[in-house]
Amino acid sequence: MTKRVNRRLFHTALAFAAVCALTVPSMTIRADKTAEAGEGTQTALAAVQEETPGTEQPQDTAAVTLTTVPEEDSESFVLQLQSIRDIQQTQLEQVQTQIRTLTQLQETAVIDAAQLQLLGQLQTLEQVQLEQIAQTDTQLQAFADLMTAEEELAEGPEIIFVGDSRFVQMHNAVGGSDYVWIAKSSQGYKWFASEAVPQIDAVVGRGTKILINLGVNDVANVNAYAELVNKKAAEWTQKGATVYYASVNPVENGQYITKSMVNTFNKKLQARLSPQIHWIDSFSYLQGTGYTLTDGLHYSKGTSKTLYKYYLSALGRV
């Protein structure tokens, strides 16, 4: 199970709990009894359904710098769910008070058939509310466990860029940054598996975004890339990271690599990566905005800077 708190899970649970809390009617019973010596007992009983008001939800090497990851708002989700739990408890107490009133009438033999039927309905409603409270308590405990697990995860660097010579040049173009760069010229799958992956393993942690851009030097290894990235992404996600793979970007047709070969690699790789890995189509982005190649493979400093900004935007950092 992923240790990172999933916002969608919180929203779904909150919506479910809200429906439970706001669709159960609160039934109010008014009872007046007078008993005098020698006189009969008179009882006036009225049942009124009230809707509960809604609640608002409401170079070849680079320096490694660890940065602080902004805190998620998981605590606010739990607080909202706790508020719904309080509403459910209030409703339950109201129904239980009404049950006690009717039970007292039953014990004094002054309850009629309609009131007896109402008592049965209230007792059924009480069971429904008890089940809803139990479900909400289960959700609260699950979220508390997730938050505890998240806090126990070591915090990692904000972004890890992983690539070949194109990323080496990009790092040189943008100068110093607060991110981790794991990149080496003329490398591909073998280097990724033997050197890059262990370096990622050593620093990845909670809040890390890993962006991988490899394949231009060995497009024939598409299946090997997919298999290893899927395996490692599952492990890195367990540590609280998010994994992205950026498409291999445009080239000029040459002896060893062509634009068609790049397109084929991208399509095959995207189709083979697991759903938890986010695909960044930087190939199409550069095709649309334009780019400058200096030797048929590597980009100009300006294009590298443009591509870097695009990556940061895709990672939610711009």
Side-chain angles (χ1 to χ4, degrees), residues 214-238:
L214 288 164
V216 73
N217 293 315
D218 56 347
V219 292
N221 282 329
V222 60
N223 291 332
Y225 275 116
E227 182 178 356
L228 181 56
V229 172
N230 285 338
K231 175 185 176 182
K232 296 306 299 185
E235 297 176 12
W236 296 330
T237 300
Q238 287 290 326

Short mmCIF file of all heavy atoms in Angstrom, two decimals, residues 214-238:
data_model
loop_
_atom_site.label_atom_id
_atom_site.label_comp_id
_atom_site.label_asym_id
_atom_site.label_seq_id
_atom_site.Cartn_x
_atom_site.Cartn_y
_atom_site.Cartn_z
N LEU A 214 15.92 8.99 -20.73
CA LEU A 214 16.97 8.15 -21.31
C LEU A 214 16.40 7.38 -22.50
O LEU A 214 15.20 7.18 -22.61
CB LEU A 214 17.49 7.15 -20.27
CG LEU A 214 18.36 7.73 -19.14
CD1 LEU A 214 18.46 6.73 -18.01
CD2 LEU A 214 19.74 8.09 -19.68
N GLY A 215 17.30 6.94 -23.40
CA GLY A 215 16.87 6.12 -24.51
C GLY A 215 17.39 6.55 -25.86
O GLY A 215 17.41 5.75 -26.80
N VAL A 216 17.82 7.80 -25.98
CA VAL A 216 18.28 8.26 -27.30
C VAL A 216 19.53 7.51 -27.74
O VAL A 216 19.78 7.38 -28.95
CB VAL A 216 18.52 9.79 -27.28
CG1 VAL A 216 19.79 10.14 -26.49
CG2 VAL A 216 18.59 10.34 -28.70
N ASN A 217 20.33 7.01 -26.81
CA ASN A 217 21.56 6.29 -27.15
C ASN A 217 21.35 4.80 -27.36
O ASN A 217 22.26 4.10 -27.83
CB ASN A 217 22.61 6.48 -26.05
CG ASN A 217 23.09 7.92 -25.97
OD1 ASN A 217 23.37 8.54 -26.99
ND2 ASN A 217 23.16 8.46 -24.76
N ASP A 218 20.16 4.29 -26.98
CA ASP A 218 19.91 2.84 -27.13
C ASP A 218 18.41 2.57 -27.22
O ASP A 218 17.84 1.91 -26.36
CB ASP A 218 20.54 2.06 -25.97
CG ASP A 218 20.07 2.54 -24.60
OD1 ASP A 218 19.45 3.63 -24.51
OD2 ASP A 218 20.29 1.81 -23.61
N VAL A 219 17.81 3.05 -28.30
CA VAL A 219 16.37 2.88 -28.47
C VAL A 219 15.95 1.41 -28.54
O VAL A 219 14.78 1.08 -28.29
CB VAL A 219 15.88 3.62 -29.74
CG1 VAL A 219 15.99 5.13 -29.55
CG2 VAL A 219 16.66 3.17 -30.97
N ALA A 220 16.87 0.51 -28.84
CA ALA A 220 16.53 -0.91 -28.92
C ALA A 220 16.24 -1.51 -27.54
O ALA A 220 15.67 -2.60 -27.44
CB ALA A 220 17.67 -1.68 -29.59
N ASN A 221 16.60 -0.80 -26.47
CA ASN A 221 16.41 -1.32 -25.11
C ASN A 221 15.08 -0.88 -24.49
O ASN A 221 14.94 -0.87 -23.27
CB ASN A 221 17.57 -0.87 -24.21
CG ASN A 221 18.81 -1.69 -24.42
OD1 ASN A 221 18.74 -2.88 -24.76
ND2 ASN A 221 19.97 -1.07 -24.24
N VAL A 222 14.10 -0.56 -25.31
CA VAL A 222 12.85 -0.04 -24.79
C VAL A 222 12.18 -0.99 -23.79
O VAL A 222 11.67 -0.56 -22.74
CB VAL A 222 11.87 0.30 -25.94
CG1 VAL A 222 11.54 -0.93 -26.78
CG2 VAL A 222 10.60 0.95 -25.40
N ASN A 223 12.17 -2.28 -24.08
CA ASN A 223 11.54 -3.23 -23.16
C ASN A 223 12.28 -3.32 -21.82
O ASN A 223 11.66 -3.43 -20.75
CB ASN A 223 11.45 -4.62 -23.80
CG ASN A 223 10.47 -4.66 -24.95
OD1 ASN A 223 9.51 -3.90 -24.99
ND2 ASN A 223 10.71 -5.55 -25.91
N ALA A 224 13.61 -3.27 -21.89
CA ALA A 224 14.41 -3.33 -20.66
C ALA A 224 14.17 -2.09 -19.81
O ALA A 224 14.03 -2.19 -18.58
CB ALA A 224 15.90 -3.45 -21.00
N TYR A 225 14.09 -0.93 -20.46
CA TYR A 225 13.78 0.30 -19.72
C TYR A 225 12.42 0.17 -19.01
O TYR A 225 12.29 0.48 -17.83
CB TYR A 225 13.72 1.49 -20.67
CG TYR A 225 15.06 2.13 -20.97
CD1 TYR A 225 15.58 2.13 -22.26
CD2 TYR A 225 15.78 2.77 -19.96
CE1 TYR A 225 16.81 2.73 -22.55
CE2 TYR A 225 17.01 3.38 -20.24
CZ TYR A 225 17.51 3.35 -21.53
OH TYR A 225 18.73 3.95 -21.81
N ALA A 226 11.42 -0.26 -19.76
CA ALA A 226 10.08 -0.35 -19.20
C ALA A 226 10.04 -1.28 -17.99
O ALA A 226 9.46 -0.95 -16.95
CB ALA A 226 9.10 -0.82 -20.27
N GLU A 227 10.66 -2.43 -18.12
CA GLU A 227 10.64 -3.41 -17.02
C GLU A 227 11.31 -2.86 -15.76
O GLU A 227 10.77 -2.97 -14.65
CB GLU A 227 11.32 -4.70 -17.46
CG GLU A 227 11.29 -5.80 -16.41
CD GLU A 227 11.91 -7.10 -16.89
OE1 GLU A 227 12.31 -7.16 -18.07
OE2 GLU A 227 12.02 -8.04 -16.07
N LEU A 228 12.50 -2.29 -15.94
CA LEU A 228 13.23 -1.80 -14.76
C LEU A 228 12.57 -0.56 -14.16
O LEU A 228 12.44 -0.46 -12.92
CB LEU A 228 14.68 -1.47 -15.15
CG LEU A 228 15.57 -0.96 -14.01
CD1 LEU A 228 15.60 -1.94 -12.84
CD2 LEU A 228 16.98 -0.68 -14.51
N VAL A 229 12.13 0.35 -15.00
CA VAL A 229 11.51 1.57 -14.47
C VAL A 229 10.22 1.22 -13.72
O VAL A 229 9.93 1.78 -12.65
CB VAL A 229 11.23 2.58 -15.60
CG1 VAL A 229 10.42 3.75 -15.08
CG2 VAL A 229 12.55 3.08 -16.18
N ASN A 230 9.42 0.30 -14.25
CA ASN A 230 8.20 -0.11 -13.55
C ASN A 230 8.51 -0.70 -12.18
O ASN A 230 7.84 -0.39 -11.19
CB ASN A 230 7.43 -1.14 -14.38
CG ASN A 230 6.71 -0.53 -15.56
OD1 ASN A 230 6.43 0.67 -15.58
ND2 ASN A 230 6.38 -1.34 -16.55
N LYS A 231 9.54 -1.54 -12.15
CA LYS A 231 9.92 -2.17 -10.88
C LYS A 231 10.40 -1.13 -9.86
O LYS A 231 9.96 -1.11 -8.70
CB LYS A 231 11.02 -3.20 -11.12
CG LYS A 231 11.57 -3.83 -9.84
CD LYS A 231 12.74 -4.76 -10.15
CE LYS A 231 13.34 -5.31 -8.85
NZ LYS A 231 14.52 -6.18 -9.13
N LYS A 232 11.31 -0.26 -10.30
CA LYS A 232 11.87 0.71 -9.37
C LYS A 232 10.84 1.78 -9.00
O LYS A 232 10.84 2.29 -7.87
CB LYS A 232 13.11 1.36 -9.97
CG LYS A 232 14.27 0.40 -10.22
CD LYS A 232 14.66 -0.37 -8.96
CE LYS A 232 15.11 0.53 -7.83
NZ LYS A 232 15.59 -0.21 -6.65
N ALA A 233 9.97 2.14 -9.92
CA ALA A 233 8.95 3.16 -9.62
C ALA A 233 8.05 2.69 -8.47
O ALA A 233 7.65 3.49 -7.62
CB ALA A 233 8.11 3.46 -10.85
N ALA A 234 7.74 1.40 -8.46
CA ALA A 234 6.92 0.86 -7.37
C ALA A 234 7.64 1.03 -6.03
O ALA A 234 7.02 1.39 -5.01
CB ALA A 234 6.60 -0.61 -7.63
N GLU A 235 8.95 0.79 -6.02
CA GLU A 235 9.72 0.94 -4.78
C GLU A 235 9.83 2.41 -4.37
O GLU A 235 9.66 2.75 -3.20
CB GLU A 235 11.12 0.35 -4.98
CG GLU A 235 11.13 -1.14 -5.27
CD GLU A 235 12.54 -1.64 -5.54
OE1 GLU A 235 13.52 -0.89 -5.29
OE2 GLU A 235 12.69 -2.79 -6.02
N TRP A 236 10.11 3.28 -5.33
CA TRP A 236 10.27 4.69 -5.02
C TRP A 236 8.95 5.32 -4.57
O TRP A 236 8.94 6.19 -3.70
CB TRP A 236 10.83 5.43 -6.25
CG TRP A 236 12.21 4.97 -6.64
CD1 TRP A 236 13.17 4.48 -5.79
CD2 TRP A 236 12.78 4.94 -7.95
NE1 TRP A 236 14.31 4.15 -6.50
CE2 TRP A 236 14.11 4.44 -7.84
CE3 TRP A 236 12.32 5.31 -9.21
CZ2 TRP A 236 14.95 4.29 -8.94
CZ3 TRP A 236 13.16 5.15 -10.31
CH2 TRP A 236 14.45 4.65 -10.17
N THR A 237 7.87 4.85 -5.15
CA THR A 237 6.56 5.35 -4.73
C THR A 237 6.28 4.96 -3.28
O THR A 237 5.70 5.74 -2.52
CB THR A 237 5.45 4.80 -5.64
OG1 THR A 237 5.70 5.22 -6.99
CG2 THR A 237 4.09 5.33 -5.21
N GLN A 238 6.69 3.76 -2.90
CA GLN A 238 6.52 3.34 -1.51
C GLN A 238 7.29 4.24 -0.55
O GLN A 238 6.90 4.39 0.61
CB GLN A 238 7.01 1.89 -1.34
CG GLN A 238 6.10 0.85 -1.96
CD GLN A 238 4.79 0.71 -1.21
OE1 GLN A 238 4.76 0.86 0.01
NE2 GLN A 238 3.71 0.43 -1.91
#
